[in-house]
């Protein structure tokens, strides 16, 4: 799969949230006429809902984008999982602005011929930034649609020249204990560690992510750099990364260590395999309204055509 890009990015190439928001508001009003007043006054009052922060220009990549309307900036930046800052959905938005983002370097090491230590500015410029609208399906059975900005992780990994021993990639998130209430409480074993098989890490859908809605990532969404693997449950997509280590053996991730019977290494979105404590057959789309029906969860979160081949011959019930 390859793409040719015609021109330099113009601001008009980036999905403006206002356009989507207007459309969604209209649809919601039509569907929920008796409730329209309440819905409108809430949306209308929220003048701080506009995307903000440093601008990050990107070209829209339609091949790797879904058509579902994206969630609002507000949904994406106030309903988060980032346990370093606490387990409440509002905790990351409340506390993550204390995260120190400069200086920030990321190390790529392990089974590579060229270990790299790169500053975040160099990382942002390493490859052309693309906007990709992805579904994000959380293991807690809610979902969002997010216009991420980034480039394939493969672009970075290739620069480090993986050796024959590189079969897994391990992602380590930052620890700044003094500004992270969740780290002080010891909810998980810190740092937050996640991992992928190398072919998953090199897949063109796996996005090294620096922004959303035309701006650099807000801290609560994993600033300054995270990874996004759209066909897996959201917990695989580690935030605020400081290290990517390639190795021969499958790592034990933070969630596997905390609850091995509940969170497997693969964590591919799979409606046929329930979590031990709840079904994964359907999901609640955040922002769709109180009365909205749950929607069916798709195998591999709707990306089966692109990724099912990675798991040919594997038992996906045992390898959950
Ligand atoms: N990364 C770190 N470092 N810590 C976390 O607690 N939570 C994960 C993932 N990455 C998490 C993390 C989970 S469970 C989800 S669903 C997504 O981040 C949520 O990303 P979002 O808040 O940007 O939607």
């Amino acid at each position: 799969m390859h793409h040719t890009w015609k021109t330099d990015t113009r601001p008009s190439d980036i999905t403006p949230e206002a356009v989507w928001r207007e459309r969604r508001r209209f649809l919601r009003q039509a569907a929920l006429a008796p409730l329209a007043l309440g819905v409108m006054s809430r949306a209308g009052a929220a003048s701080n809902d506009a995307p903000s922060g440093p601008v990050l220009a990107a070209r829209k990549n339609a091949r790797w984008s879904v058509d579902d309307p994206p969630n609002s900036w507000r949904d994406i930046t106030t309903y988060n999982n980032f346990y370093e800052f606490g387990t409440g959905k509002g905790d990351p938005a409340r506390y993550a602005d204390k995260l120190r983002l400069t200086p920030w370097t990321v190390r790529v090491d392990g089974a590579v011929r060229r270990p790299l230590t790169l500053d975040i500015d160099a990382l942002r410029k390493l490859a052309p930034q693309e906007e990709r609208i992805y579904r994000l399906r959380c293991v807690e059975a809610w979902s969002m649609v997010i216009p991420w900005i980034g480039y394939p992780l493969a672009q970075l990994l290739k620069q480090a020249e993986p050796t024959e021993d590189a079969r897994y990639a391990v992602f380590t998130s930052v620890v700044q204990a003094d500004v992270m209430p969740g780290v002080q409480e010891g909810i998980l074993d810190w740092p937050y560690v996640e991992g992928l098989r190398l072919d998953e890490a090199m897949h063109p859908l796996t996005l090294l992510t620096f922004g959303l809605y035309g701006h650099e990532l807000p801290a609560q969404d994993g600033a300054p750099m995270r990874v996004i693997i759209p066909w897996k449950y959201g917990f695989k997509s580690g935030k605020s990364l400081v290290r990517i280590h390639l190795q021969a053996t499958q790592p034990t991730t933070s969630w596997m260590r905390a609850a091995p019977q509940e969170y497997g290494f693969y964590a591919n979105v799979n409606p046929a395999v329930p979590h031990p404590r709840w079904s994964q057959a359907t999901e609640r789309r955040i922002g769709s309204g109180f009365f909205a029906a749950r929607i069916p969860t798709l195998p591999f979160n709707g990306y089966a055509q692109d990724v099912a081949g990675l798991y040919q011959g594997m038992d996906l019930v045992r390898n959950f």
Side-chain angles (χ1 to χ4, degrees):
M1 226 71 61
H2 73 274
H3 316 278
T4 44
W5 300 111
K6 293 190 299 268
T7 56
D8 280 335
T9 315
R10 287 153 296 141
S12 58
D13 291 334
I14 298 170
T15 303
E17 193 207 342
V19 171
W20 289 106
R21 210 156 5 119
E22 272 314 311
R23 213 184 111 207
R24 290 175 71 240
R25 201 184 300 176
F26 172 77
L27 292 172
R28 238 187 299 174
Q29 273 174 260
L32 298 172
L35 299 172
L37 261 179
V39 170
M40 279 183 63
S41 56
R42 235 202 61 208
S47 53
N48 59 340
D49 274 1
S52 59
V55 168
L56 183 58
R59 303 173 170 111
K60 193 162 181 170
N61 186 327
R63 164 63 182 92
W64 294 116
S65 290
V66 297
D67 292 329
D68 313 25
N71 279 85
S72 67
W73 172 264
R74 168 169 283 228
D75 288 342
I76 297 168
T77 60
T78 61
Y79 191 93
N80 299 99
N81 277 338
F82 199 163
Y83 275 19
E84 287 87 331
F85 293 101
T87 53
K89 297 295 176 230
D91 288 342
R94 200 167 300 128
Y95 300 120
D97 62 331
K98 297 279 190 316
L99 188 69
R100 292 178 295 274
L101 296 173
T102 45
W104 195 285
T105 55
V106 179
R107 183 145 179 85
V108 184
D109 62 4
V112 295
R113 276 181 202 92
R114 285 183 58 205
L116 306 169
T117 302
L118 292 171
D119 182 75
I120 191 66
D121 288 326
L123 280 158
R124 276 196 203 95
K125 290 183 205 136
L126 189 114
Q129 295 279 352
E130 305 174 8
E131 182 194 70
R132 298 176 171 209
I133 303 174
Y134 279 173
R135 294 189 200 94
L136 181 126
R137 170 61 159 78
C138 187
V139 74
E140 298 161 331
W142 53 264
S143 64
M144 291 203 210
V145 179
I146 303 181
W148 299 116
I149 298 173
Y151 54 77
L153 173 63
Q155 304 264 24
L156 170 62
L157 296 183
K158 278 180 200 156
Q159 301 249 334
E161 298 176 16
T163 68
E164 300 66 39
D165 290 337
R167 295 186 45 228
Y168 293 88
V170 187
F171 303 88
T172 306
S173 297
V174 75
V175 177
Q176 293 179 9
D178 59 323
V179 296
M180 292 177 155
V183 168
Q184 292 158 22
E185 284 166 34
I187 299 159
L188 284 171
D189 255 353
W190 313 106
Y192 192 96
V193 169
E194 260 306 337
L196 294 173
R197 232 170 43 193
L198 194 67
D199 58 344
E200 300 175 322
M202 299 294 282
H203 192 279
L205 273 168
T206 300
L207 196 70
L208 199 60
T209 304
F210 299 86
L212 69 92
Y213 266 130
H215 295 263
E216 289 179 11
L217 285 175
Q220 59 267 39
D221 288 283
M225 188 191 90
R226 70 182 299 181
V227 69
I228 292 289
I229 310 109
W231 70 95
K232 293 178 179 281
Y233 293 118
F235 69 86
K236 296 299 289 179
S237 299
K239 294 180 169 183
S240 305
L241 299 178
V242 292
R243 188 180 183 201
I244 303 173
H245 181 83
L246 302 191
Q247 61 187 46
T249 53
Q250 182 178 297
T252 302
T253 65
S254 296
W255 282 108
M256 289 165 74
R257 183 163 298 140
Q261 64 297 339
E262 301 195 1
Y263 306 105
F265 177 76
Y266 282 93
N268 293 315
V269 174
N270 191 344
V273 176
H275 184 278
R277 292 182 282 129
W278 59 83
S279 166
Q280 295 290 19
T282 65
E283 65 203 50
R284 180 172 66 94
R285 182 64 52 85
I286 300 298
S288 62
F290 188 74
F291 298 105
R294 296 181 67 87
I295 54 181
T297 288
L298 300 170
F300 299 104
N301 202 22
Y303 298 94
Q305 226 182 314
D306 300 306
V307 300
L310 295 172
Y311 310 101
Q312 225 158 22
M314 275 178 67
D315 180 345
L316 295 178
V317 175
R318 291 186 57 207
N319 296 288
F320 62 91

